[in-house]
Amino acid sequence: MDANSVIKALAALAQEHRLAVYRLLVQAGPEGLSAGILADRIGVAPSSMSFHLAQLANAGLVMQRRQSRSIIYSADFDVMNSVMGYLTENCCGGLSCSPITAFFPDVSDQREVA
Amino acid sequence: MDANSVIKALAALAQEHRLAVYRLLVQAGPEGLSAGILADRIGVAPSSMSFHLAQLANAGLVMQRRQSRSIIYSADFDVMNSVMGYLTENCCGGLSCSPITAFFPDVSDQREVA
DNA sequence: TCATCGATTCCATATTTATTGAAATATCAA
DNA sequence: TTGATATTTCAATAAATATGGAATCGATGA
């Protein structure tokens, strides 16, 4: 994965609402969530949500499919996978930064988005 | 680690020059590199480099120490470690996105910064 | 067909970010 | 002290980002 793609993905996630959206989509699994539901849950105008979803899609972090009138978004793990690989490879000392040493969940942070 | 800290770290890395700086500092190890050397290597004005280093420092990704007239920056892996943990925990399906499946280096990308 | 619903695009605006020259600060050496 | 060096801060500017109302597009059902 090239640096440009990594930057696009990091920039997509480096925003309060988009990070929250991505977390919701990860939770939601393959079924995904519609743009409208996401706008409601996050609390932004539909047009703003479209803007943010476009960024996530442009970074390759989410997939979209039409289902009747709704457009359903779902997390696509491929890019996230590559980003994690890039960071591990290029931005970690090779010793730390591994999820093995950081895997324990921060329970206090579990409900802050929904 | 709270979402805000993650966002700050991701935003710090989601910029061409800053990502390049961080990679250089990871390569450089604990000895680090001075602000001037970094400005030269990256190819930006000293004041621009100060701006970017301030963002990395504010995100907690780098440490600084004065050594004579120079200020030496070095990578601090703690925050990166936490970010990796947060992403693994909250933004990955729990199945993929693990460095175990993405660990193999992209050799073609090794020299693009330096 | 027509009204409606869900989502996006367009537009205007406000905010944030990035950039660099110039000035200010800190250190050192003569 | 004076001058040179390294870095940051300040100021001005340009560019990118985020926001939401209004208009538009697509799909559905009566």
Side-chain angles (χ1 to χ4, degrees), chain A residues 49-70:
Chain A
M49 184 49 63
S50 266
F51 169 78
H52 290 305
L53 288 171
Q55 308 241 350
L56 289 169
N58 180 253
L61 289 164
V62 300
M63 299 182 288
Q64 50 190 314
R65 65 180 195 277
R66 180 174 279 278
Q67 183 177 297
S68 175
R69 275 183 279 220
S70 298

Side-chain angles (χ1 to χ4, degrees), chain A residues 21-58:
Chain A
V21 163
Y22 193 75
R23 288 183 64 184
L24 285 178
L25 292 181
V26 168
Q27 284 178 34
E31 297 156 42
L33 294 168
S34 72
I37 297 281
L38 287 168
D40 279 350
R41 294 268 184 92
I42 300 296
V44 298
S47 56
S48 294
M49 184 49 63
S50 266
F51 169 78
H52 290 305
L53 288 171
Q55 308 241 350
L56 289 169
N58 180 253

Side-chain angles (χ1 to χ4, degrees), chain B residues 26-49:
Chain B
V26 168
Q27 284 179 35
E31 296 155 43
L33 295 167
S34 72
I37 296 280
L38 287 168
D40 280 350
R41 292 266 185 93
I42 301 295
V44 298
S47 55
S48 295
M49 184 50 62

Side-chain angles (χ1 to χ4, degrees), chain A residues 3-12 14 83 86-87 90-92 97, chain B residues 5-23 25-26 52 55-57 59-62 75-76 79-81 83-84 87:
Chain A
N4 252 348
S5 305
V6 173
I7 289 168
K8 229 194 297 186
L10 293 178
V83 169
Y86 182 96
L87 293 180
N90 294 283
C91 295
C92 293
C97 297
Chain B
S5 304
V6 174
I7 289 169
K8 229 194 297 187
L10 293 178
L13 293 173
Q15 207 278 344
E16 180 190 355
H17 298 327
R18 290 195 295 265
L19 184 59
V21 163
Y22 193 76
R23 289 184 62 184
L25 292 181
V26 168
H52 290 304
Q55 308 242 351
L56 289 169
L61 289 164
V62 301
D76 183 345
V79 168
M80 177 61 81
N81 196 345
V83 169
M84 295 294 280
L87 293 180

